[in-house]
Amino acid sequence: MINQLASSVILFDKDGFGNADSSLRHQLASDYFRSLEELGQFPQTILFCADGVKLTVTGSPCLPELQKLLDAEVRIMSCQTSLAHYGLTDQLAIGDLGSMAQLIEAQTAAARLITL
């Protein structure tokens, strides 16, 4: 299968996927990340900002799936302003800490931005 997402950036700005309760949002996000890996559909970068940064910190149920994507050379970046706002900077468990300028650079380098 051709990797259709290779030049795409995916932006998570919520603590999970969708607008359900937190348990379902986390399950859907984990399933989404796992499916990307299983289908070989690797985006260029996955960005996390606002509540989305909570998916990249210690205790997140999505860490195993995100680690597989990182191992497949998907760049994972969390907004430093959002992490600082929630007091989570020291708890970043996966990926890079990114400034707003770095998030914008990742977005502008992409052929397509997908917000979930």
Side-chain angles (χ1 to χ4, degrees):
M1 176 181 284
I2 297 172
N3 183 8
Q4 299 291 327
L5 293 177
S7 61
S8 298
V9 167
I10 298 173
L11 172 66
F12 271 82
D13 62 359
K14 292 181 275 201
D15 181 19
F17 188 112
N19 293 313
D21 62 78
S22 64
S23 176
L24 180 56
R25 284 193 323 267
H26 292 159
Q27 182 62 53
L28 291 171
S30 291
D31 290 350
Y32 182 83
F33 296 137
R34 183 180 315 103
S35 294
L36 287 174
E37 193 265 332
E38 289 172 353
L39 294 170
Q41 294 297 313
F42 301 109
Q44 179 177 315
T45 305
I46 303 176
L47 301 175
F48 297 88
C49 68
D51 281 345
V53 298
K54 295 175 183 176
L55 298 174
T56 64
V57 299
T58 303
S60 166
C62 298
L63 293 177
E65 291 78 18
L66 288 173
Q67 183 61 55
K68 288 181 182 179
L69 293 171
L70 190 63
D71 292 345
E73 300 184 8
V74 174
R75 184 176 187 197
I76 295 173
M77 187 185 309
S78 293
C79 172
Q80 69 185 26
T81 303
S82 300
L83 286 166
H85 175 80
Y86 292 115
L88 297 172
T89 303
D90 294 340
Q91 295 180 43
L92 182 64
I94 194 159
D96 299 318
L97 187 64
S99 67
M100 191 58 66
Q102 290 172 308
L103 272 66
I104 292 169
E105 287 173 357
Q107 291 174 342
T108 57
R112 178 173 45 176
L113 175 65
I114 301 166
T115 303
L116 299 174

